[in-house]
Amino acid sequence: MNEIKLLSSEIINEIAAGEVIERPVSVVKELVENSIDSLATKININIELGNSLKIQVLDNGLGIEKKYIEMAIKKHTTSKLIKKSLDNIGTLGFRGEALHAIANASEFKMISKNKNMNEAAEIVVLYGKLTRSRPSKGNLGTLIMVKNLFNKLPVRRKFLKSDKVESLAIKNFITKISLAYPNITFIFSQDNKEKLNLLGRQENNNIEARIKEIYGENFLKSSFYDEKKHPDFQIKIYASIPTYNKSNWQQTTIIINGRIIKDKLFLGVIKAAYAGLLAGNRFPVVALYINIKPTNLDINVHPAKTEVRILNRNLLNSSIIKIIRNNLEKIGLRYSVEAEKELIKKIKKHNELKFNKDLLDIGMNLFDVKNKEEDNKCLYEKENKFEDNQNQLGFAKAQINNMFIVAQTSDSLILVDQHAAHERIVLENLKKNYFNNKIVKQVLMMPEVINIEHGKTLLLKNKATISSLGFVFEDYGDKSIIVREIPAVLGNINILQLFQDLYEQIRKIGEVNPMDSSIEKILSSIACHNSIRAGKKLSLEEMNSILRLMESTPNSGQCNHGRPTFIELKLKDVESLFGRI
Ligand code: ADP
Ligand code: MG
């Protein structure tokens, strides 16, 4: 090895800066967090990417006293560690690194004024060298302008993604931090074009208002809110119902003590809470607020403070799972309003096309409906008066294509996917009875011998588990097993196919452990084999009994993959499809 030497201070600074500010979004994050720590109620963020790479953050916070303004950009200088201890941190910043790192990596200007000053103070720092310090004009608060970021660090610049990606990252960050601080107004512009204008509110329900601003009304309608207090922590959560799902975690936001946390473990916990309700490649949208006693939290794990260590994490995890599960079970028959909107949109589009092609071409003016009054006495007003309002899913009227049940309530039309709905009913029944140890079995009139040569050993090895799921079977000859009883709820099914699937599932999972989600997976795969397949003709009685079972079954608004089991179209929406209202 060569001689060992201390690195030059420039290199040390570059290394340290690399940890804190990697990309433009890290600069925005540090500056916005400083503004929040300074108790600002309004923060304006302006960026211009491209060659000059400018970032500007203006706040109306407490400002910096003139005598400290030069000190603020020095290394390891902070006003935030009041008690001189890292185990009780109440501010977003505390490491005293950000301004130093940013001022080292850019052409940096800061103008600040606090309440004791008559005029603002300004400093200019060019790549770490203070070049100007003078009085200036400015309001109470702080303005920081960063230009030509990373110009002297060509490697860092080279690694930046496209302007579009960097700008999206900044927008995402502001969106997420705004969820944590609904009392603050955030205005974000790029190239002087406003991209976000989020109004801060001081009222008690300001979180809900912000959630609506960010996620939209549909999310609020398709989610639940709940909270839980524990001596060591407090949880507030907005979580989507399973039919409102996305292809990634992008929108899910986890906020711990006012800090946006990127922690895969939490995402795993949330996903576990939705086990059996969502397909593996679909994700819920969740805004999770956790407040923990600062002494139980170590945020000094990561330079950008996006990871944390928490004492008693297991208790916190199980509380999160419980809150989500309990609420989803209570929700029962809700489904995402997006599914309904999507359907209406599709029907409208389809109709428009049809009108154009079939009717408008031959010169009819469809919209010239003269006798509107008379028309409006619509069919269901005249014929189908519904007295009984008790059943949420109404009464079956017909079956389409042997796949869908059409039902009617007093004010809506319901379409049910019979197989998906029944699958959910069966799964919930199996789950409930499995965990209470009382799955009801049916003895097969004719025991079924199934030839399952290469799966046999594995199935016999897991006989105890499979028996606990409601199956009675034994070894039978060289290549077969004989099945004598199956769970009653399954009805008349193809047993060979079910055992083949069971074998596949167990093979994939390896060890079946009744204590984890593996049992849930197996139960789901069994439930898939319910007897009400798509394609089965049903009598009105059978249809109605499915509707009643859906009403009394938890989570029955979606199938095991998070798709809706039914769609409700309000009659007024149907009327609007026909241009009646
Ligand atoms: P930290 O936030 O960890 O303290 P920084 O380098 O980000 O370290 O900032 C250094 C100090 O500069 C802060 O402790 C604070 O006193 C002051 N400061 C930075 N930005 C602002 C601001 N926007 N408003 C008021 N004071 C600020
Ligand atoms: Mg800071």
Side-chain angles (χ1 to χ4, degrees):
M1 293 297 278
N2 288 331
E3 193 186 345
I4 296 183
K5 280 197 285 192
L6 183 68
L7 290 171
S8 73
S9 57
E10 286 83 25
I11 299 275
I12 293 177
N13 282 344
E14 263 180 48
I15 293 174
E19 288 174 1
V20 193
I21 51 160
E22 217 185 332
R23 306 167 52 183
V25 65
S26 357
V27 174
V28 172
K29 172 180 182 294
E30 293 298 333
L31 297 181
V32 168
E33 289 189 349
N34 279 344
S35 298
I36 294 172
D37 280 343
S38 82
L39 306 179
T41 55
K42 187 170 176 195
I43 303 174
N44 286 62
I45 303 111
N46 261 293
I47 62 165
E48 268 177 56
L49 300 176
N51 265 344
S52 61
L53 229 167
K54 280 190 202 160
I55 294 170
Q56 183 179 314
V57 175
L58 167 71
D59 69 52
N60 64 351
L62 297 176
I64 306 176
E65 187 89 46
K66 185 168 179 292
K67 64 178 173 199
Y68 294 127
I69 194 160
E70 286 178 32
M71 199 173 162
I73 53 142
K74 296 228 162 75
K75 201 169 178 183
H76 307 310
T77 52
T78 177
S79 57
K80 298 174 192 174
L81 271 188
I82 308 160
K83 290 189 192 142
K84 299 192 173 64
S85 142
L86 279 179
D87 59 13
N88 196 349
I89 290 163
T91 46
L92 293 171
F94 60 87
R95 295 167 63 114
E97 298 179 311
L99 288 192
H100 175 74
I102 297 167
N104 253 290
S106 68
E107 294 168 26
F108 175 95
K109 186 193 239 184
M110 171 155 79
I111 302 174
S112 192
K113 183 177 168 191
N114 87 348
K115 65 178 185 340
N116 304 322
M117 292 153 70
N118 292 327
E119 51 184 356
E122 173 187 318
I123 54 170
V124 174
V125 183
L126 301 179
Y127 304 100
K129 300 234 157 25
L130 180 76
T131 59
R132 188 193 295 161
S133 179
R134 63 172 190 196
S136 172
K137 286 203 182 87
N139 296 329
L140 209 61
T142 304
L143 167 65
I144 288 178
M145 295 156 95
V146 171
K147 213 166 73 180
N148 289 323
L149 179 69
F150 300 143
N151 262 20
K152 297 221 167 147
L153 295 167
V155 187
R156 184 98 26 93
R157 251 206 119 133
K158 228 173 19 211
F159 277 98
L160 293 186
K161 308 244 168 52
S162 70
D163 285 356
K164 211 168 152 193
V165 173
E166 296 295 339
S167 133
L168 193 66
I170 292 173
K171 190 171 165 207
N172 281 342
F173 165 74
I174 297 170
T175 309
K176 293 207 163 188
I177 195 86
S178 84
L179 286 166
Y181 296 91
N183 57 323
I184 300 179
T185 295
F186 292 87
I187 298 171
F188 169 52
S189 309
Q190 180 171 8
D191 303 325
N192 290 322
K193 275 189 223 91
E194 195 173 279
K195 301 238 158 169
L196 287 174
N197 188 336
L198 304 164
L199 181 71
R201 295 175 176 85
Q202 306 307 316
E203 312 89 81
N204 276 343
N205 61 349
N206 59 3
I207 293 190
E208 180 166 327
R210 183 57 50 90
I211 293 264
K212 188 168 156 190
E213 251 177 324
I214 301 291
Y215 291 121
E217 178 90 35
N218 278 358
F219 171 77
L220 274 183
K221 281 192 187 151
S222 309
S223 61
F224 68 83
Y225 169 75
D226 202 359
E227 51 186 51
K228 172 141 181 73
K229 276 208 171 87
H230 184 276
D232 286 345
F233 55 80
Q234 187 195 7
I235 301 173
K236 291 183 177 178
I237 184 168
Y238 287 85
S240 66
I241 57 177
T243 44
Y244 186 100
N245 55 53
K246 303 279 162 193
S247 61
N248 54 44
W249 281 113
Q250 192 108 49
Q251 296 196 19
T252 287
T253 307
I254 298 167
I255 297 159
I256 302 185
N257 292 7
R259 215 179 272 286
I260 306 299
I261 299 297
K262 287 184 196 143
D263 188 322
K264 291 225 165 61
L265 281 176
F266 276 114
L267 298 180
V269 167
I270 296 174
K271 189 80 205 221
Y274 282 83
L277 299 172
L278 272 179
N281 59 353
R282 303 300 301 175
F283 305 90
V285 175
V286 174
L288 175 62
Y289 294 80
I290 304 173
N291 272 317
I292 306 182
K293 270 209 246 158
T295 43
N296 287 356
L297 187 69
D298 181 3
I299 29 190
N300 200 19
V301 187
H302 186 271
K305 296 164 263 166
T306 51
E307 285 168 24
V308 285
R309 272 196 291 251
I310 300 168
L311 280 185
N312 281 334
R313 183 148 192 170
N314 286 346
L315 184 64
L316 178 64
N317 289 349
S318 60
S319 297
I320 296 171
I321 294 189
K322 240 188 259 161
I323 294 195
I324 299 180
R325 292 230 137 198
N326 288 347
N327 277 281
L328 293 181
E329 284 193 4
K330 267 190 266 161
I331 284 165
L333 277 179
R334 261 175 76 194
Y335 61 93
S336 162
V337 287
E338 283 199 335
E340 180 190 314
K341 291 231 162 81
E342 209 34 45
L343 180 69
I344 291 180
K345 215 163 72 196
K346 275 192 193 141
I347 298 178
K348 278 200 164 141
K349 205 161 170 195
H350 177 76
N351 280 358
E352 274 161 24
L353 285 177
K354 236 176 138 35
F355 284 164
N356 288 338
K357 200 159 99 265
D358 301 346
L359 300 164
L360 295 181
D361 279 359
I362 55 169
M364 274 173 69
N365 188 351
L366 270 167
F367 301 101
D368 185 14
V369 181
K370 291 210 174 67
N371 213 341
K372 228 176 172 166
E373 274 300 293
E374 187 52 30
D375 263 27
N376 273 344
K377 286 184 196 135
C378 54
L379 249 159
Y380 26 82
E381 272 172 36
K382 288 185 210 152
E383 287 183 9
N384 283 321
K385 283 243 157 71
F386 258 78
E387 313 298 345
D388 187 345
N389 236 342
Q390 300 300 304
N391 296 316
Q392 203 191 331
L393 295 180
F395 292 99
K397 290 259 147 185
Q399 189 188 19
I400 320 181
N401 215 13
N402 291 343
M403 284 168 91
F404 304 104
I405 300 169
V406 186
Q408 189 189 332
T409 72
S410 57
D411 64 350
S412 65
L413 171 76
I414 308 264
L415 281 174
V416 176
D417 176 336
Q418 65 190 46
H419 176 62
H422 196 245
E423 181 175 323
R424 171 52 64 182
I425 292 166
V426 170
L427 177 63
E428 290 296 330
N429 174 298
L430 285 175
K431 244 169 40 183
K432 190 169 109 217
N433 292 334
Y434 171 79
F435 288 110
N436 291 323
N437 239 338
K438 47 178 194 211
I439 292 194
V440 182
K441 292 178 240 178
Q442 54 174 323
V443 179
L444 298 175
M445 298 266 278
M446 293 284 287
E448 187 150 331
V449 175
I450 53 181
N451 185 330
I452 187 153
E453 194 180 349
H454 54 261
K456 193 172 138 164
T457 326
L458 191 70
L459 288 172
L460 287 170
K461 196 173 139 220
N462 284 285
K463 192 170 171 190
T465 314
I466 301 173
S467 304
S468 71
L469 298 168
F471 297 92
V472 173
F473 70 103
E474 287 146 31
D475 195 357
Y476 192 83
D478 276 357
K479 303 175 178 168
S480 311
I481 57 171
I482 183 163
V483 182
R484 299 188 186 280
E485 295 178 34
I486 64 168
V489 67
L490 292 178
N492 188 7
I493 54 159
N494 183 331
I495 299 177
L496 171 64
Q497 245 174 36
L498 184 145
F499 269 79
Q500 276 166 346
D501 272 9
L502 206 54
Y503 159 70
E504 271 306 316
Q505 277 291 333
I506 297 177
R507 196 179 57 83
K508 260 194 257 159
I509 293 170
E511 191 82 15
V512 183
N513 180 355
M515 301 312 290
D516 64 23
S517 65
S518 58
I519 208 77
E520 183 104 31
K521 284 196 189 122
I522 301 237
L523 287 169
S524 295
S525 91
I526 296 174
C528 258
H529 290 268
N530 69 80
S531 54
I532 311 285
R533 318 281 324 164
K536 183 177 168 151
K537 191 165 173 49
L538 300 173
S539 68
L540 275 181
E541 263 155 26
E542 286 171 311
M543 290 187 244
N544 277 319
S545 100
I546 291 179
L547 298 179
R548 298 297 79 79
L549 279 168
M550 285 174 77
E551 284 157 357
S552 60
T553 301
N555 297 316
S556 60
Q558 67 278 321
C559 77
N560 305 348
H561 314 288
R563 291 189 293 270
T565 52
F566 76 98
I567 295 277
E568 180 172 11
L569 282 178
K570 291 287 174 209
L571 290 185
K572 65 173 175 19
D573 288 332
V574 179
E575 289 190 7
S576 88
L577 286 175
F578 289 99
R580 280 172 174 272
I581 47 175

